Amino acid sequence: MRVPGLNIEDTLKRCFHFNPCIAVHELRMRMRGARPFVVLFFYALLAAATVLITLAVISLQSSYYYGTPDTDPTPGRPAFAALAFSQLALILFVIPAYAAGAITMEREKHTLEMLRGTLLSPADVVTGKLVVVLAFGVLLLLTSAPVAAWCMMLRGISPAEVALTYSSLLIIALWVATLGMLFSVLLKRTTAAIVATYITVVVWCGVPALLSALVHNLARGWSYVYANLLTLSFLVMTVGTVFGWLVFLICRMYAARGSTRSATRAGTLVSALIACASVTLVFGVLLVPLFEAGLTGSGARATLVAAPYGGPVLILFAEDFVASRSRMTVPETQLIACAVTGGIYLIIAIFFWIRSIVLFEERKWAV
Amino acid sequence: MIHVQGLTKRYGNITAANDLTFSVEAGDAFGFIGPNGAGKTTTIRMLAALLKPDEGTATINGYDVLQEPEGVRASVGYMPDFFGVYEDMKVWEYLDFFAAAYRVAWRRRPALIRDVLELTDLSAKRDTYVDALSRGMKQRLCLAKTIIHDPDLLLLDEPASGLDPRARIEIRELLQQLCSMGKTILISSHILPELGDLCNKIGIIEQGKLLMVGAVEDIWQQLEGGTQLVIVVHDRQQEASDFLAARPDIADVELEENALHAVYRGDPDAQSAVLTALVESGFRVTSFAERETDLESLYMRLTRGIVS
Ligand SMILES: Nc1ncnc2c1ncn2[C@@H]1O[C@H](COP(=O)(O)OP(=O)(O)O)[C@@H](O)[C@H]1O
Ligand SMILES: [Mg+2]
């Protein structure tokens, strides 16, 4: 028996005008049978193996240098860092495969037309699919939670750090899910959408990493003020360029497919420019306090904060970045770094999400 | 129910639908006939508010397809020619999904699904996986999905294509039942006999153009300029033929296997005068009937000029 008014589905429909049937049915289908549990089992096994291998390496190094295997009093910290990096890699690898097929798969199976024939709105379809993908991401993260707890027992990592890392991972999962969704709406084939998502992720990760290395080397011998100014400007340009490149590419593909009227093209170009400018601004404004506050010790390497791979986990190495003269403590710096990366990727994810809905709506006449 | 005015859709330099104008009243069963590539699917998708017309207007149940697609979707059940099914989904889940997508309240769905399954004779398959069903069953399931939100109008795009004769008959019976439940049906086909018993009105489309629309009998009337009569006399066939040919209200008498095929061009109410005249002249008339309207020959006649 369900109490009237407490039914989730009816409440969502009535209060938020959101029809959750896609999420409900897809979750039911995906969680059927033994397969999801086998996947989760191996995922947990992988997470545990990462930690075990890290611990083994630490004690081997310790035995080699000091003759005794347990000189590190806080082995939980490197173990958790390894876990977080592997989680991040898995999220960036697994989520696109799910998200990028969300709409293209319907198109390929000839079910999209029937879906469009129903009273489901574009927001219902896109958001419903995103909820499913994210639910899967959350499930993966939860599966690794016991391993994270084990790391905490090994000492060296605080619950707050674990919580910050996990929330960053969740936001990155949301970001990559919306990115995959965007390509799923834009492109016709699932494989094309998955490949496009992977390429974008790699470029997005690679450019900040490259620049970070470059600036780090350049900055040696210079005063850190110059190094940081350089880093900051590079960072702003990098992210602005990567993002602008992506948005422009998407807009051009969209314009080429749809109407060829010059008005549409001009419109997409203007919207691309505005999008780039605003994201660059957001990045610049948000990152200034971060650099001033703490990450100045090795500011050049902090460029990595902008990369989806590395950025969310960088807080675990905040000690290395915090300058000796900084007025801020390590936990404060971690909080700010987390807020900045999380905020940026959240904003971009929301942008992608809304864009997916708009594009799905605009293409409703062309299945 | 459906009012279409000057509906046009172009793909490059192909005109898939060219200036279509027709209307379908509530309760009609409208057959949309044409060979492959004639523009049936294009037209139906425009009516289902899934494809944007280049020109012209279409209103469904009072809703304009361009302005009020929501209203159109709520009043239309659309069955596409190619439809996919989701793997890993059971029959009842499939129907539950579409019922939810059409905003049928959660409480009403189980009873609704039971009724629809019963109507389409799939009750025994309630817990079967959709992709394990036979093609005929899938087609019936898709029909069940089409009527799940109780639409007034069904747009069915070749619902019987690719089915074996038995499944085809089952679908036809189902459609007849839906007709008798008061649904308006627009059904397309490139196979004529499929529509024969079902439709009271047909539209013939070829190369995007609507060649003719109307009640099946009316089309015959227009085509021949009169009513087709089939008269069987016991003997003296040739004499009877000459006798009929001499009458001013009869045109085109042909003698085929003892039966006389004649076209009556006079006042429809005075048709029996021909019989009276025959009998009074001493011919032993064993049968005097209007010819059964036969879609196939109608269609062949209509498209003769265009194809060749
Ligand atoms: N998406 C499309 N792009 C280009 N041409 C199309 C498209 N859809 C249909 N056509 C063309 O429009 C014509 C009518 O197609 P269709 O409506 O599918 O015919 P039918 O359903 O009667 O077989 C065909 O010549 C077909 O090639
Ligand atoms: Mg067709």
Side-chain angles (χ1 to χ4, degrees):
Chain A
M1 278 298 285
R2 294 198 197 190
V3 186
L6 278 187
N7 177 7
I8 296 171
E9 189 191 309
D10 287 351
T11 313
L12 279 173
K13 268 186 204 163
R14 209 172 309 121
C15 301
F16 298 98
H17 297 285
F18 175 63
N19 190 340
C21 65
I22 290 205
V24 170
H25 281 263
E26 245 176 79
L27 283 177
R28 177 150 46 198
M29 272 152 55
R30 292 218 171 152
M31 291 316 287
R32 177 164 281 153
R35 208 178 59 191
F37 299 99
V38 172
V39 169
L40 289 178
F41 174 74
F42 280 104
Y43 190 84
L45 214 62
L46 203 71
T50 314
V51 169
L52 272 179
I53 291 169
T54 315
L55 291 178
V57 170
I58 290 169
S59 55
L60 276 177
Q61 277 181 339
S62 174
S63 329
Y64 183 78
Y65 289 115
Y66 307 105
T68 159
D70 49 356
T71 47
D72 188 349
T74 57
R77 194 168 187 80
F80 183 72
L83 177 69
F85 268 110
S86 68
Q87 295 279 299
L88 191 53
L90 276 169
I91 281 174
L92 289 176
F93 184 71
V94 171
I95 302 268
Y98 273 77
I103 305 293
T104 49
M105 220 100 106
E106 300 265 351
R107 218 194 302 271
E108 281 162 356
K109 282 194 285 182
H110 297 288
T111 46
L112 190 60
E113 179 142 307
M114 284 202 296
L115 219 51
R116 286 190 196 260
T118 66
L119 292 176
L120 289 173
S121 69
D124 288 335
V125 176
V126 169
T127 312
K129 296 268 181 188
L130 270 179
V131 166
V132 175
V133 175
L134 273 184
F136 184 68
V138 169
L139 202 60
L140 289 185
L141 289 178
L142 281 181
T143 310
S144 72
V147 184
W150 174 32
C151 292
M152 281 196 277
M153 290 198 303
L154 291 171
R155 284 197 305 278
I157 189 98
S158 71
E161 284 171 317
V162 172
L164 280 183
T165 311
Y166 267 78
S167 48
S168 295
L169 288 177
L170 194 62
I171 288 174
I172 286 294
L174 175 70
W175 170 78
V176 77
T178 52
L179 182 68
M181 179 61 70
L182 192 61
F183 281 116
S184 196
V185 173
L186 271 170
L187 301 176
K188 276 207 163 134
R189 307 249 130 235
T190 304
T191 35
I194 292 178
V195 168
T197 313
Y198 280 147
I199 289 178
T200 310
V201 169
V202 167
V203 171
W204 205 309
C205 291
V207 174
L210 268 177
L211 280 170
S212 161
L214 187 74
V215 175
H216 191 60
N217 286 326
L218 276 180
R220 276 188 200 159
W222 292 3
S223 83
Y224 77 95
V225 178
Y226 284 113
N228 283 334
L229 276 177
L230 202 63
T231 308
L232 192 62
S233 51
F234 262 118
L235 186 67
V236 168
M237 283 191 309
T238 311
V239 176
T241 314
V242 170
F243 191 72
W245 166 81
L246 184 81
V247 172
F248 182 68
L249 210 70
I250 289 167
C251 291
R252 213 180 48 186
M253 271 189 298
Y254 163 63
R257 275 162 181 278
S259 159
T260 47
R261 280 176 303 144
S262 50
T264 333
R265 282 173 181 241
T268 47
L269 198 65
V270 168
S271 68
L273 288 176
I274 290 173
C276 295
S278 52
V279 168
T280 312
L281 209 67
V282 166
F283 247 83
V285 169
L286 282 176
L287 281 176
V288 169
L290 174 71
F291 278 82
E292 286 192 342
L295 295 184
T296 45
S298 177
R301 273 204 273 158
T303 313
L304 280 172
V305 170
Y309 185 73
V313 186
L314 217 64
I315 57 154
L316 295 175
F317 304 93
E319 281 137 349
D320 304 344
F321 293 117
V322 176
S324 48
R325 312 178 228 179
S326 172
R327 279 167 281 118
M328 295 193 93
T329 59
V330 170
E332 278 168 348
T333 317
Q334 285 177 330
L335 201 65
I336 291 175
C338 203
V340 171
T341 30
I344 289 164
Y345 283 103
L346 199 61
I347 289 169
I348 297 178
I350 291 171
F351 173 76
F352 283 167
W353 173 46
I354 292 171
R355 205 66 211 130
S356 305
I357 294 174
V358 170
L359 283 171
F360 192 85
E361 166 81 30
E362 279 172 3
R363 300 172 139 236
K364 77 173 170 218
W365 298 108
V367 175
Chain B
M1 183 60 80
I2 307 179
H3 292 282
V4 176
Q5 187 69 47
L7 205 62
T8 302
K9 178 76 195 176
R10 294 185 198 89
Y11 291 111
N13 44 20
I14 298 173
T15 307
N18 192 350
D19 197 18
L20 305 182
T21 300
F22 64 94
S23 56
V24 177
E25 303 308 321
D28 273 352
F30 185 87
F32 207 44
I33 309 168
N36 285 325
K40 305 181 294 288
T41 302
T42 307
T43 311
I44 290 180
R45 289 184 56 208
M46 285 194 283
L47 295 182
L50 289 166
L51 192 66
K52 193 178 186 170
D54 289 329
E55 277 163 40
T57 56
T59 48
I60 308 280
N61 217 357
Y63 298 105
D64 189 283
V65 289
L66 272 173
Q67 311 301 327
E68 300 143 303
E70 285 262 298
V72 172
R73 292 202 176 123
S75 36
V76 160
Y78 168 58
M79 179 169 170
D81 49 355
F82 294 108
F83 57 92
V85 288
Y86 298 97
E87 293 145 29
D88 281 350
M89 212 180 210
K90 291 178 179 174
V91 166
W92 78 265
E93 289 170 345
Y94 183 81
L95 294 174
D96 188 67
F97 171 71
F98 279 102
Y102 278 109
R103 301 190 193 146
V104 177
W106 169 82
R107 233 171 300 277
R108 281 182 48 221
R109 295 209 289 261
L112 188 65
I113 291 169
R114 202 180 49 234
D115 292 349
V116 171
L117 282 176
E118 201 156 309
L119 186 70
T120 50
D121 203 15
L122 286 169
S123 299
K125 300 284 177 188
R126 187 179 175 278
D127 289 308
T128 313
Y129 283 101
V130 170
D131 50 354
L133 295 179
S134 72
R135 199 182 150 85
M137 286 178 188
K138 272 186 200 160
Q139 214 98 357
R140 290 211 302 272
L141 177 62
C142 192
L143 204 55
K145 169 244 124 188
T146 308
I147 56 177
I148 195 99
H149 58 297
D150 196 22
D152 298 324
L153 171 67
L154 305 181
L155 298 176
L156 311 171
D157 200 356
E158 313 218 4
S161 69
L163 294 184
D164 60 69
R166 186 183 178 80
R168 198 170 285 220
I169 288 167
E170 281 167 358
I171 284 272
R172 195 169 62 204
E173 281 172 356
L174 189 53
L175 291 180
Q176 265 157 353
Q177 204 170 340
L178 288 171
C179 266
S180 65
M181 284 162 66
K183 305 261 182 224
T184 312
I185 295 183
L186 186 149
I187 174 172
S188 86
S189 180
H190 64 279
I191 304 164
L192 297 157
E194 246 171 51
L195 304 181
D197 305 343
L198 191 67
C199 299
N200 62 344
K201 230 174 152 182
I202 55 169
I204 295 178
I205 185 170
E206 177 142 326
Q207 291 180 354
K209 284 210 193 71
L210 206 53
L211 298 181
M212 210 157 254
V213 219
V216 180
E217 303 82 38
D218 290 350
I219 290 188
W220 263 121
Q221 191 100 24
Q222 278 179 38
L223 207 63
E224 300 287 345
T227 318
Q228 287 262 323
L229 294 178
V230 182
I231 303 161
V232 183
V233 285
H234 189 255
D235 46 18
R236 298 196 291 149
Q237 281 96 350
Q238 194 54 52
E239 263 177 74
S241 170
D242 296 340
F243 174 81
L244 284 172
R247 282 182 67 94
D249 54 358
I250 295 281
D252 269 349
V253 187
E254 273 174 46
L255 182 62
E256 277 174 30
E257 299 172 29
N258 286 339
L260 292 158
H261 292 258
V263 176
Y264 176 72
R265 287 225 171 107
D267 177 7
D269 297 330
Q271 198 171 291
S272 60
V274 180
L275 176 63
T276 318
L278 277 171
V279 173
E280 278 174 358
S281 309
F283 292 106
R284 289 156 69 191
V285 180
T286 46
S287 156
F288 182 92
E290 270 185 38
R291 184 160 147 183
E292 283 280 320
T293 43
D294 168 9
L295 274 176
E296 191 125 20
S297 49
L298 174 62
Y299 178 71
M300 291 312 283
R301 246 171 234 255
L302 268 170
T303 53
R304 193 164 42 199
I306 291 170
V307 177
S308 56

